[in-house]
């Protein structure tokens, strides 16, 4: 039995990054031998075992063969005669197809170290086209390593386009699309995930609501970037600067989907794009079974982001109604998420990235004043049910008026 560090831990070590997970491949062994030496089996589709002490994953060296469409259409062969190089050959990118011995020797049969130096994401073999998940993974790795200057190799880009043209991407299951998207949203440059998908044609198949935004004009006096798709990516960049919360970043991504359905005769204006965007967000979330915490925030940002932008112009009554519609008093943490996503929208324009805006202060001060109103005094007055709700509404409105006049 021989075992080697493989994959991400080797790549990240060579890049000088912290190594979070230690994955191993075992050559020359069998499932029976692994169990006899104390390893606990956990793999369902192929033999993966947990080390009895470190709990790190150890997978038997294996090869795979395409037997059907999609990313599940494979059969695996794991046996003592499978070599390390054969195992590495089935991996997606050269930078993920390196191994390290216990003495620190790097085994690199496909040029991964050179591609690290050249900042290239390049496929290991033509078998890359057999698994559509690899399109998502390449896009996600771009989101992770864009800060290091990585880009997709031209030949890999060509293969990804072929996979889209051949319909392979249509076989992706919703859960896997969302899983990879969520991971991309947690990276430092999630906008590149969507840009890579767009470049190979996969964005139009997977996220047509986002793809449709490109080429749609906006009023230049408010949006120097003009193009709505460009604006969306700029907003996503700003959301990354403001928050690590992937729900905030997702809301930033989808907040303007309604602009993709604006009638041509109304352009570059986008009347009622907020309401037109809500069913598009709902459909996207339904399609990929996106969790409710993401869905609810995204819908609120889509529907009410113009209320935020016009905070200084809103009547006191409208501002209070907006706070109530956002359920701010019961869900203050989500209200803060809403404000961050909307602020990213304000900053997602050339020349606006570092400006100070009044809206965050107005919205936070109004909320603080209104949320300070307690129900106890009205209960002590003998009011009940709807009477308490009406009294608190009136008191909150008064508090908002006072704080806005003081400002």
């Amino acid at each position: 039995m021989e075992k080697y560090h493989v994959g991400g831990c080797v790549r990240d070590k060579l890049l000088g990054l912290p190594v979070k997970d230690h994955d191993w491949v075992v050559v020359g062994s069998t499932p029976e031998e692994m169990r006899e030496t104390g390893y606990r089996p956990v793999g369902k589709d192929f033999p993966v075992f947990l080390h009895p002490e470190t709990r790190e994953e150890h997978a038997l060296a294996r090869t795979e063969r395409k037997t059907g469409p999609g990313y599940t259409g494979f059969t695996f062969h794991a046996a003592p005669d499978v070599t390390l190089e054969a195992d590495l050959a089935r991996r997606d990118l050269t930078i993920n197809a390196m191994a390290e011995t216990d003495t620190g020797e790097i085994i690199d049969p496909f040029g991964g170290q050179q591609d690290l130096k050249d900042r290239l994401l390049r496929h290991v073999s033509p078998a890359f086209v057999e698994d559509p998940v690899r399109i998502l993974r390449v896009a996600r790795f771009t989101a992770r390593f864009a800060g290091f200057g990585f880009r997709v190799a031209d030949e890999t880009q060509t293969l990804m386009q072929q996979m889209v043209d051949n319909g392979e991407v249509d076989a992706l299951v919703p859960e896997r699309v969302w899983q990879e998207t969520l991971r991309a949203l947690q990276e430092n440059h999630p906008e590149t995930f969507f840009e890579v998908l767009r470049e190979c044609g996969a964005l139009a198949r997977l996220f047509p609501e986002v793809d449709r935004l490109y080429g749609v004009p906006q009023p230049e006096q408010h949006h120097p970037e003009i193009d709505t798709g460009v604006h969306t990516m700029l907003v996503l960049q700003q959301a990354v600067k403001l928050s690590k919360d992937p729900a905030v970043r997702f809301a930033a991504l989808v907040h303007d989907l309604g602009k993709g359905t604006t009638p041509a005769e109304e352009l570059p204006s986008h009347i009622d794009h907020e309401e037109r965007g809500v069913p598009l967000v709902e459909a996207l979330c339904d399609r990929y079974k996106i969790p409710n915490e993401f869905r609810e925030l995204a819908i609120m940002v889509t529907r009410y982001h113009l209320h935020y932008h016009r905070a200084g112009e809103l009547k006191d009554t409208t501002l209070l109604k907006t706070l109530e519609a956002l359920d701010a008093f019961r869900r203050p943490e989500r209200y803060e998420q809403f404000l961050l996503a909307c602020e990213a929208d304000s900053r997602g324009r050339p020349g606006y990235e570092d400006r100070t805006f009044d809206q965050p202060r107005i919205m936070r001060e109004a909320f603080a004043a209104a949320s300070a109103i307690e129900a106890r005094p009205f209960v002590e007055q003998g009011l009940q049910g709807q009477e308490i709700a009406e009294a608190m509404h009136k008191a909150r409105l008064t508090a908002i008026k006072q704080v806005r006049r003081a400002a």
Side-chain angles (χ1 to χ4, degrees):
M1 178 194 302
E2 297 177 337
K3 65 179 188 178
Y4 305 85
H5 268 117
V6 291
C9 60
V10 180
R11 175 200 67 222
D12 290 348
K13 180 180 178 180
L14 292 174
L15 282 173
L17 298 175
V19 176
K20 298 179 181 179
D21 299 311
H22 292 267
D23 293 326
W24 301 80
V25 66
V26 180
V27 177
S29 186
T30 64
E32 294 75 20
E33 183 182 7
M34 296 294 287
R35 285 193 293 267
E36 289 173 0
T37 51
Y39 287 81
R40 183 167 65 86
V42 293
K44 295 181 180 179
D45 299 323
F46 44 81
V48 177
F49 301 82
L50 295 182
H51 190 280
E53 297 176 2
T54 66
R55 317 305 292 171
E56 293 172 349
E57 285 194 359
H58 288 63
L60 292 183
R62 65 185 188 271
T63 58
E64 58 190 34
R65 183 170 60 88
K66 184 74 168 174
T67 58
Y71 80 97
T72 59
F74 291 89
T75 58
F76 298 94
H77 171 67
D81 61 349
V82 177
T83 64
L84 174 63
E85 183 170 337
D87 180 273
L88 295 175
R90 67 176 177 78
R91 297 173 186 266
D92 51 6
L93 299 173
T94 59
I95 64 170
N96 297 329
M98 296 180 286
E100 182 183 22
T101 67
D102 56 5
T103 61
E105 177 190 356
I106 301 299
I107 300 173
D108 179 19
F110 304 105
Q113 293 179 94
Q114 186 61 49
D115 284 342
L116 283 179
K117 293 177 182 178
D118 295 339
R119 299 307 197 234
L120 279 181
L121 300 175
R122 184 168 59 86
H123 62 282
V124 172
S125 76
F128 180 94
V129 301
E130 297 176 350
D131 186 356
V133 170
R134 289 172 172 170
I135 293 177
L136 295 172
R137 282 174 56 84
V138 169
R140 175 167 59 80
F141 280 121
T142 307
R144 177 178 297 179
F145 296 124
F148 289 87
F150 276 83
R151 65 177 180 85
V152 180
D154 293 340
E155 59 268 36
T156 302
Q157 183 67 39
T158 298
L159 284 187
M160 291 165 62
Q161 292 171 342
Q162 291 176 2
M163 294 167 72
V164 174
D165 293 341
N166 293 338
E168 274 286 324
V169 73
D170 300 323
L172 288 168
V173 298
E175 292 84 356
R176 193 59 190 271
V177 174
W178 172 244
Q179 180 186 51
E180 294 295 331
T181 303
L182 175 59
R183 295 176 73 177
L185 287 171
Q186 295 170 311
E187 302 292 355
N188 290 331
H189 293 277
E191 74 281 358
T192 63
F193 174 82
F194 300 98
E195 291 167 354
V196 168
L197 293 182
R198 180 169 182 257
E199 190 172 350
C200 71
L203 189 66
R205 307 287 271 271
L206 298 174
F207 298 97
E209 303 91 343
V210 177
D211 186 74
R212 192 184 298 135
L213 298 177
Y214 284 90
V216 175
Q218 303 168 108
E220 187 174 1
Q221 65 269 31
H222 301 301
H223 288 277
E225 74 284 356
I226 300 177
D227 190 294
T228 306
V230 173
H231 168 62
T232 297
M233 295 299 108
L234 293 174
V235 173
L236 185 52
Q237 290 175 18
Q238 292 302 312
V240 170
K241 295 180 180 179
L242 292 169
S243 175
K244 293 183 179 180
D245 188 340
V248 171
R249 299 177 180 188
F250 177 72
L253 171 72
V254 302
H255 79 284
D256 264 350
L257 291 188
K259 290 183 178 179
T261 63
T262 299
E265 61 272 15
E266 294 182 10
L267 296 173
S269 296
H270 293 278
I271 301 170
D272 294 330
H273 76 275
E274 315 90 72
E275 285 301 321
R276 284 187 285 107
V278 169
L280 297 175
V281 173
E282 292 175 332
L284 190 156
C285 291
D286 287 342
R287 186 164 72 248
Y288 292 123
K289 302 177 183 179
I290 295 174
N292 282 338
E293 61 179 297
F294 288 81
R295 178 193 185 102
E296 292 170 0
L297 177 63
I299 289 173
M300 287 184 171
V301 173
T302 299
R303 177 171 277 145
Y304 292 108
H305 65 275
L306 284 195
H307 286 65
Y308 167 92
H309 295 313
R310 296 169 180 164
E313 307 165 21
L314 296 180
K315 296 179 180 179
D316 298 325
T317 53
T318 304
L319 182 50
L320 178 56
K321 287 180 180 178
T322 301
L323 292 175
E324 292 172 340
L326 293 170
D327 203 14
F329 302 111
R330 290 196 316 118
R331 299 284 302 276
E333 72 290 341
R334 190 174 64 190
Y335 178 64
E336 185 61 27
Q337 291 174 309
F338 169 83
L339 296 180
L340 291 171
C342 291
E343 185 175 353
D345 186 23
S346 295
R347 297 182 181 280
R349 298 172 289 170
Y352 290 79
E353 298 90 345
D354 300 315
R355 289 196 184 184
T356 299
F357 296 92
D358 289 333
Q359 292 91 334
R361 174 188 57 79
I362 293 170
M363 297 293 285
R364 288 189 175 100
E365 288 180 353
F367 170 69
S371 61
I373 304 301
E374 297 181 353
R376 181 180 301 173
F378 305 112
V379 174
E380 292 174 349
Q381 293 174 28
L383 301 183
Q384 296 181 352
Q386 186 62 29
E387 293 177 323
I388 295 176
E390 292 174 356
M392 288 191 67
H393 179 87
K394 185 176 180 180
R396 283 170 171 168
L397 182 58
T398 299
I400 288 175
K401 288 180 178 179
Q402 291 174 344
V403 74
R404 296 186 81 184
R405 280 156 180 71

